[in-house]
Every structure is written in C-alpha cells, then in structure tokens.
Amino acid sequence: MSGGLFKNIRVYGLACTIYWGILLFGYDTGVAGGVIATKAFKSAFGLLNAPQSHVDAVSSNVVAVLQGGAFFGALASAPMSGWIGRKPTLLIFILIFVVGAVLQTAADAGTRGLNMIYVGRVIAGLGVGAISAVCPAFVSECAPKEVRGRITGLFQIWVATGVMLSYFVNYGMSLHITTGPRVWRVPFGFQLVPGGIMAFGLIFAKESPRYLARSGKTEEALNNLAYYRRSTIDDPEVRAEMAEIEATILEEKEARAGLGWKEAFFGPGQWIRFVIAFAIFLLQQFAGQNSVGYYAPRIFQSIGYTGTTPSFLASGVYGIVKVVATAIFILLGVEYFGRKWSLFWSAMWMGIFFYIIGAIQKTHPPAVRTDDYVPPASKAMAGLLYMYCVAYSFGWGPLPWVYVSDIFPNRTRHYGLAFASATQWLFNFVISKITPTLVSKLGWKLFIMFATINILGMGTFALLIPETKGKSLEEMDIVFGSITAEARAKDITKAEHVVDDEVRHAPAHHGSDQDVEKGSISQRSK
C-alpha cells in the first residue's frame, strides 16, 4: 500500500508545507552570525572599535537569544498540541514568529534598536522552537512506516536549505548593500516569506490521524488516514493500520488507569526513550556543526579566509554542500542503511576530518593578511570542512530528528518531541554563547575537542541504541519493552472489532470535508 512516491504524495505534500517553518529554523540560526560580521552592523551598533570581548558578547547574544526563546517555545508546544491538535498549534506559533520577525526588521541603529533585535529574536524563537517540536511529530504521525524515515528526514534538508539561504543572502548583501539599515533589515525581513508560505499552506492541511484517534474522533481519524494513504476507508491495509493505532490507545488507557502524568515519563519502556532523546541532541549540539553553522564566516576567517566577502562565499559553498549531501542521504540512504550504523560511521568520519583540520591549523597557522589571498593550507582545511559536512549530513545531521520521531508512542509523542526539541535548543543556546570565545581562545584545539566528542561520545552512543528502521510507530512499544509482541497481537484483534463497530454506527455525513474519495463514510451510508 505504502510504496512509491505518488502513493504517499499527500504525506510528502504535508511535509513540504509545514517544513517551511523548519526552513526558518535553519535560516534564523544562520543569518544572525553573518549580519553581525558586517562592518555596517558593527558601526551602527557601536561595535566597530569595541574590544573583541565585547564584540563576542554581542554576537553571541544576538544569536543565542533566539535559542533561549526556542527552548521555552518547544516546552510550551507539548501541552498545547496535545490539547488542541498539531495543526492549530502550528498556526498559533507561526503567528508568534511573525511578530518577532517584524520587530527584528523594524529595528533602528543604536542601543534601542539592538534591544529591539534581542526582543524580536526571543519572540521569534518561541515560534521556531514550537514549530521544530510539532512539525516532526505531525509528519511522523501521518507517514507510513516504509518511508517514514525519508519523509521525516526531509526536516534536515529544509534546515540545511535555510542555513544555505542565510549564507547567500549575507553574501549578496556584502556585494550589493554594504551601508545603512538595509544591511540587517533585508536579511531579517526575508524571514517573513517562508513564514507566510507555511501559514497559508497549513490552512489546507488535514489533522494528524493519530492525534484524532487519541482524542476519540475515530471516524475522522480513519478518514484522514485514508486521505494520506490515497485510499479508501474500506482498504484492508488502512483498516489494519487504524486497528494498530486503536490497539495502542486501548493499551494506554488500561495501563494508566489510576496513574498520573508520571506514567508518561516513567512507565514501562518510557524513561529510556526520554534518556535517548536527551543524549542524542546533547551530542549533536557538541558535534561541531552548529559552531560552524552559526559562525561560518568567523570560522572560515580563523582558518585563513580573510575579508568578509571570501568568508561569506566559503560559507555559502559550505551551505550548498550541506543541502546536497543531506538530500542524497535522505532520499537514497536513510531507509537503506538504517539509523544505527549511519550514526556510527557518520561520527567516525566527522572525528577523523576534524582531527586532520586541527593538525593542519596547528602546523600551518594562517597568517594575518590585509588582502583576500587564501593560502593552500587554508584551502585544504576548507575542503576538509566540506568533507566533514558530508559526513555530518549522512548521519548526525538528519537522523536525531528521525530517530526521536520514531521512538515515542502516541500518548507521549508530543511530550517526547517537545522534550527532545527543548534539549536541542538548550544546548544550541550553550554552543551559540560559547563558540565566539572558544574560537578566540582555543584556535586549533577547538577542532581536536569536537573530534574527540565525535568519535568517543557519538560513536559509542550509536552502538548502544536499537535500530528502528522499518518498524511502525506502534511497534516501538515492543522494541522498548512496554508490551510483548503476543499481547500486542491480541490487542490489535480486539481493536479491529472496536473500529468496525464505531464506523458501522457512525452517523452519515453529506458533503463533509472528511469524505475520502469514493470510500468515505458518507458515501457508504447513502
């Protein structure tokens, strides 16, 4: 049922609609570092002749306050998306994001304008954080298991595309607009474009079938599931998938009878999923990628790309490499190689490339120059950074989001994704705050530090987690020991009867937007 692009075209369409918000994730995290690096921004906000420590502090503040807001936005999204649904939650938070983007764009020069940028980035961060938590949950709940990794993994392609756009917007500004408030207003104002596209597309999206089923709306859930499968509610595979969803809901109701919210986190097979979600994003943030991503112009300057324009161009090429490599892996590799071994080999190669970069920078430190000449050693380090980016994109870039979208059950998925996203933003905040200082203080040792984390931390972690490729979201309870395979089979049989009874006794609809092609409930009742 679920094989082929066109069979799942509606799920791909949903992902491409709501992932405009994920493009904001990448764009917002990449654009600020480039804007701050411009001479016009430094002049407008009193940084041109300031001590490097003050410049580092302002740079890290402008980048990091978005992560701080995103941390709270991710946490706030959990109860809201569980209460009102995935779609309304996204609409609310995209509007919050727009308010923040407008404040950043309208900021004038001077201290007051800088404060407005801070406030705008905090508010925008609230929106981006919630979007980053709800989007993967929404998509994974609508995707069939055979291509769920690929569809959920589109998340990272959109992140990488957003980062790449931010680099080239900054590069274009360095060529054509070098003075005046447009230096920051154009890059910050561009955020409104993907935000508006996402808001418009969401109007036509259908709610998650798994959210609807958990809310007791079985008829609507079945219709939406059939819609996303481009099939009818009478399709045996659609009915079987719906029965498996209902079985897990019945199990959850029985298991939590008399228990409070703690069961969601500490029930059988639950706590380890939250531990994995925390650890995988903690390690991802200290992989080195975000230090490069946020401060790419600064990183390339540190290895010998002097001047603003060469460093922006090198950053733009880095962004292209990241998009292409991520797309190749998501479209061709994620469902072939699986999650576990892709994470392991990604960590190994990332560490190797960083060790080599650190060694070259130690033995061939870039000289301070006033022209745009790039020495051969710097070109070699840049090439290795691009190879590192490929290794990251073939594992630790997209797979943490895919993996945490896989492992949580229906009842706790919105909590799990919110917790994972909040963890990501928390350590994102830490990295964005400390990177300018680390670049200034550590030099070549920065790459050695990240390389060691890659190999010893991330490589070991990858060997310890279970494989989730090819398993349905409901099968994760068996993988993590919440229930046995035999008990699940019995519950599915019982749930099939529940689904049949609820649909059989459902009232007829006429002309409802819940009707699905020829097999809708209203058509069956006529």
Side-chain angles (χ1 to χ4, degrees):
M1 174 190 69
S2 52
L5 171 64
F6 292 104
K7 187 67 177 177
N8 299 305
I9 194 68
R10 287 172 178 166
V11 185
Y12 280 102
L14 173 70
C16 290
T17 296
I18 66 176
Y19 279 178
W20 279 100
I22 303 306
L23 186 142
L24 289 172
F25 179 163
Y27 184 85
D28 253 23
T29 54
V31 72
V35 169
I36 297 164
T38 62
K39 183 177 179 180
F41 185 91
K42 291 178 179 179
S43 177
F45 295 98
L47 304 177
L48 198 57
N49 298 312
Q52 185 61 47
S53 59
H54 179 65
V55 176
D56 288 346
V58 173
S59 299
S60 64
N61 287 341
V62 173
V63 174
V65 290
L66 181 126
Q67 279 77 26
F71 171 79
F72 292 102
L75 292 179
S77 71
M80 184 176 293
S81 65
W83 177 39
I84 65 175
R86 301 349 180 193
K87 175 180 172 178
T89 300
L90 287 175
L91 281 169
I92 290 171
F93 278 101
I94 194 64
L95 293 176
I96 291 173
F97 168 83
V98 167
V99 173
V102 169
L103 287 175
Q104 295 172 64
T105 306
D108 291 319
T111 302
R112 181 178 178 182
L114 188 60
N115 290 335
M116 186 178 292
I117 290 176
Y118 287 154
V119 172
R121 286 189 56 85
V122 170
I123 295 173
L126 288 171
V128 170
I131 290 167
S132 70
V134 178
C135 280
F138 194 172
V139 171
S140 68
E141 288 178 347
C142 297
K145 62 183 179 182
E146 291 83 359
V147 294
R148 189 179 65 249
R150 183 179 302 137
I151 294 175
T152 308
L154 290 173
F155 182 104
Q156 189 64 23
I157 296 178
W158 286 83
V159 172
T161 302
V163 172
M164 181 190 69
L165 280 175
S166 72
Y167 292 159
F168 276 103
V169 167
N170 284 328
Y171 176 59
M173 298 296 293
S174 73
L175 292 177
H176 303 292
I177 303 176
T178 57
T179 60
R182 286 191 298 168
V183 167
W184 64 87
R185 285 180 177 170
V186 172
F188 286 149
F190 184 79
Q191 301 171 91
L192 295 167
V193 176
I197 294 173
M198 178 186 176
F200 180 76
L202 268 173
I203 297 173
F204 305 99
K206 288 186 178 291
E207 183 59 89
S208 157
R210 285 174 168 85
Y211 164 77
L212 293 170
R214 186 171 170 268
S215 301
K217 302 176 182 178
T218 305
E219 180 187 359
E220 187 179 355
L222 183 60
N223 273 283
N224 283 13
L225 183 63
Y227 171 83
Y228 281 119
R229 300 296 176 266
R230 292 189 70 226
S231 188
T232 70
I233 63 170
D234 293 319
D235 187 316
E237 293 187 54
V238 171
R239 299 295 281 267
E241 186 175 356
M242 188 67 204
E244 189 176 19
I245 295 170
E246 284 289 308
T248 62
I249 294 171
L250 292 173
E251 290 164 3
E252 289 166 358
K253 288 180 179 178
E254 293 173 0
R256 69 174 183 262
L259 297 176
W261 64 270
K262 291 184 179 180
E263 187 274 331
F265 298 93
F266 301 108
Q270 294 287 5
W271 68 271
I272 189 61
R273 307 188 214 201
F274 285 91
V275 170
I276 289 174
F278 177 86
I280 202 169
F281 278 112
L282 168 63
L283 291 168
Q284 187 202 47
Q285 296 313 301
F286 283 90
Q289 164 60 29
N290 279 346
S291 292
V292 178
Y294 291 147
Y295 301 100
R298 177 80 178 275
I299 296 291
F300 279 101
Q301 287 173 2
S302 75
I303 63 173
Y305 280 73
T306 57
T308 302
T309 299
S311 63
F312 277 156
L313 180 57
S315 302
V317 174
Y318 185 89
I320 293 175
V321 171
K322 188 175 181 181
V323 171
V324 173
T326 303
I328 291 172
F329 177 71
I330 291 301
L331 297 177
L332 302 177
V334 65
E335 297 298 355
Y336 181 79
F337 297 110
R339 284 53 154 165
K340 184 184 182 80
W341 290 107
S342 294
L343 287 171
F344 175 78
W345 288 111
S346 172
M348 293 298 104
W349 283 109
M350 287 159 58
I352 290 170
F353 291 135
F354 263 165
Y355 274 134
I356 299 173
I357 293 171
I360 294 176
Q361 192 172 18
K362 166 66 174 172
T363 57
H364 297 77
V368 177
R369 302 181 63 94
T370 57
D371 56 20
D372 290 342
Y373 172 75
V374 179
S378 296
K379 293 179 180 179
M381 286 187 280
L384 287 164
L385 269 177
Y386 298 147
M387 294 171 71
Y388 160 85
C389 181
V390 172
Y392 176 83
S393 301
F394 271 56
W396 276 91
L399 284 181
W401 291 104
V402 173
Y403 198 87
V404 298
S405 298
D406 283 347
I407 63 177
F408 288 101
N410 289 330
R411 182 192 171 205
T412 60
R413 185 167 298 110
H414 52 293
Y415 288 106
L417 268 294
F419 175 80
S421 183
T423 300
Q424 186 269 154
W425 286 114
L426 173 63
F427 291 104
N428 217 317
F429 172 82
V430 173
I431 283 292
S432 62
K433 280 293 293 179
I434 67 176
T435 292
T437 302
L438 291 177
V439 174
S440 298
K441 301 294 185 183
L442 294 183
W444 64 271
K445 296 176 185 177
L446 177 68
F447 295 104
I448 302 300
M449 180 189 78
F450 284 136
T452 304
I453 294 172
N454 292 162
I455 292 178
L456 295 184
M458 299 159 68
T460 302
F461 175 84
L463 295 176
L464 298 176
I465 59 176
E467 180 60 75
T468 61
K469 184 188 78 168
K471 300 182 184 298
S472 71
L473 295 177
E474 287 67 36
E475 288 177 293
M476 296 303 161
D477 285 335
I478 301 173
V479 171
F480 287 94
S482 298
I483 192 172
T484 64
E486 294 76 14
R488 171 55 55 81
K490 292 179 181 179
D491 289 336
I492 289 175
T493 300
K494 181 166 61 174
E496 287 174 345
H497 297 300
V498 172
V499 173
D500 288 341
D501 289 342
E502 290 188 7
V503 173
R504 189 180 303 116
H505 295 99
H509 296 276
H510 300 281
S512 169
D513 63 359
Q514 301 300 329
D515 293 348
V516 181
E517 299 179 356
K518 295 182 179 179
S520 66
I521 291 173
S522 63
Q523 289 167 326
R524 289 176 65 219
S525 63
K526 290 182 180 179

